[in-house]
Amino acid sequence: GRSAVTRRNQACVLQLGRVTASGEKEDLTNGSYDDVLNAEQLQKLLYLLESTEDPVIIERALVTLGNSAAFSANQVIIRELGGIPIVGSKINSPNHSIKEKALNALNNLSVNVENQIKIKIYINQVCEDVFSGPLNSAVQLAGLRLLTNMTVTNDHQHLLSSYITDLFHVLLTGHGPTKVQVLKLLLNLSENPAMTEGLLGAQVDSSFLSLYDGHVAKEILLRVLTLFQNINNCLQKEGRLAVQPPFTKGSLFFLLYGEECAQKMRALLYHPDAEVKEKVTIIPES
């Protein structure tokens, strides 16, 4: 049984090949061709992905689809061929490498706003994987990238509301690339006034304020400064700073609007980098 299945899968891969000018068969999943796949080839690839159990073929097919989905025309074709649920089902794979490649493919597909409507059903699963999986893993970064793309507009941000505290936890425990990716996602949320209260109410460890130290890497420092700036702008628009908002001790609100943060902001006014100085938020003392 098993070898027959394998033979069938290999035949599938061979059928996916095209005869090149020199008359050789070319494997569509080997990533060596430069031209964009057409709809017929994409359909074969999706069929292969659906019909095979072979992890090597699944992974190669996902990489090929993901690369194809970097082109906007293919983002539409793959959706119209019913490809999003086929790719989406692979994020449940116990194989971390397949899960990562499926997340990468969804990430490229999610650049198309109409595709996001089909991808949003996976957001909960992606959040669970991102926050329960190994820290700084390829799966975690791929998931964070997808969530970042899915929050570029305000349409689906509310789906992350219950994960904001987890996001800050990964921000504080992750390494550099993880921190930057979480901050990109938090910055998307911070521009939306509908998310301001959820952000400020999140329980955040006080070590968060160490990200405002002058020696912090610029790619992180500029983003945490922008985060404060965005949140403060949203609060002022809502006229919320005048009334004492319903935030508890240990929340981001108390960190950002407390004395320790104010001291750090004043110190950053003397930072050697002009871009950093420009981003500092000084809260006028009441």
Side-chain angles (χ1 to χ4, degrees):
R2 178 83 192 138
S3 60
V5 171
T6 309
R7 273 202 303 278
R8 261 206 313 281
N9 287 341
Q10 283 164 346
C12 268
V13 175
L14 287 173
Q15 282 162 11
L16 274 172
R18 281 166 298 164
V19 179
T20 58
S22 61
E24 292 165 44
K25 273 262 177 175
E26 189 176 24
D27 173 3
L28 274 190
T29 61
N30 76 0
S32 66
Y33 46 85
D34 295 321
D35 47 348
V36 182
L37 298 186
N38 63 31
E40 190 191 351
Q41 291 158 342
L42 288 169
Q43 185 152 30
K44 284 183 179 171
L45 209 48
L46 289 167
Y47 170 74
L48 179 65
L49 195 53
E50 234 182 345
S51 57
T52 184
E53 301 275 307
D54 183 329
V56 176
I57 295 178
I58 291 172
E59 196 176 327
R60 282 167 60 179
L62 283 169
V63 169
T64 305
L65 275 167
N67 291 341
S68 303
F71 300 93
S72 52
N74 286 345
Q75 293 159 8
V76 176
I77 293 169
I78 292 169
R79 177 183 75 239
E80 289 174 347
L81 290 172
I84 290 174
I86 297 173
V87 173
S89 68
K90 302 300 177 197
I91 69 169
N92 294 314
S93 171
N95 177 323
H96 285 287
S97 197
I98 288 175
K99 195 189 277 274
E100 180 211 346
K101 304 304 186 293
L103 288 166
N104 287 341
L106 285 179
N107 185 37
N108 281 350
L109 286 164
S110 74
V111 173
N112 177 295
V113 177
E114 281 180 67
N115 286 358
Q116 291 199 355
I117 296 163
K118 294 208 181 295
I119 294 171
K120 70 176 182 185
I121 63 166
Y122 304 109
I123 284 186
N124 257 11
Q125 172 70 49
V126 173
C127 285
E128 294 300 323
D129 285 339
V130 161
F131 300 123
S132 64
L135 192 63
N136 305 323
S137 62
V139 166
Q140 185 177 62
L141 271 168
L144 285 168
R145 279 195 295 269
L146 173 58
L147 293 173
T148 304
N149 260 356
M150 289 295 291
T151 52
V152 167
T153 69
N154 296 352
D155 298 348
H156 312 301
Q157 291 188 1
H158 61 279
L159 297 170
L160 272 75
S161 292
S162 56
Y163 297 102
I164 291 177
T165 294
D166 298 298
L167 272 173
F168 278 101
H169 180 70
V170 173
L171 171 64
L172 297 182
T173 50
H175 65 8
T178 302
K179 279 179 162 54
V180 169
Q181 198 57 54
V182 173
L183 282 168
K184 287 179 180 177
L185 174 45
L186 286 170
L187 284 179
N188 285 347
L189 304 182
S190 71
E191 287 172 12
N192 178 4
M195 297 300 288
T196 308
E197 206 164 311
L199 288 167
L200 286 174
Q203 291 294 303
V204 179
D205 190 84
S206 60
S207 64
F208 170 77
L209 290 179
S210 66
L211 296 177
Y212 290 110
D213 288 343
H215 59 76
V216 168
K218 187 175 164 181
E219 56 175 0
I220 292 171
L221 185 54
L222 279 177
R223 287 189 171 97
V224 286
L225 284 168
T226 308
L227 181 70
F228 189 9
Q229 202 175 47
N230 289 350
I231 289 175
N232 195 53
N233 289 344
C234 284
L235 264 193
Q236 284 178 332
K237 274 189 205 123
E238 310 274 302
R240 287 296 297 274
L241 277 182
V243 279
Q244 175 61 40
F247 301 117
T248 55
K249 285 268 185 277
S251 66
L252 183 65
F253 176 83
F254 279 93
L255 292 179
L256 289 179
Y257 292 99
E259 182 47 36
E260 187 186 344
C261 188
Q263 281 172 359
K264 287 180 184 284
M265 291 299 143
R266 289 193 291 269
L268 286 173
L269 290 174
Y270 301 97
H271 196 279
D273 192 294
E275 266 185 287
V276 170
K277 278 195 278 216
E278 227 168 84
K279 283 268 175 214
V280 172
T281 300
I282 298 288
I283 305 299
E285 306 210 357
S286 46

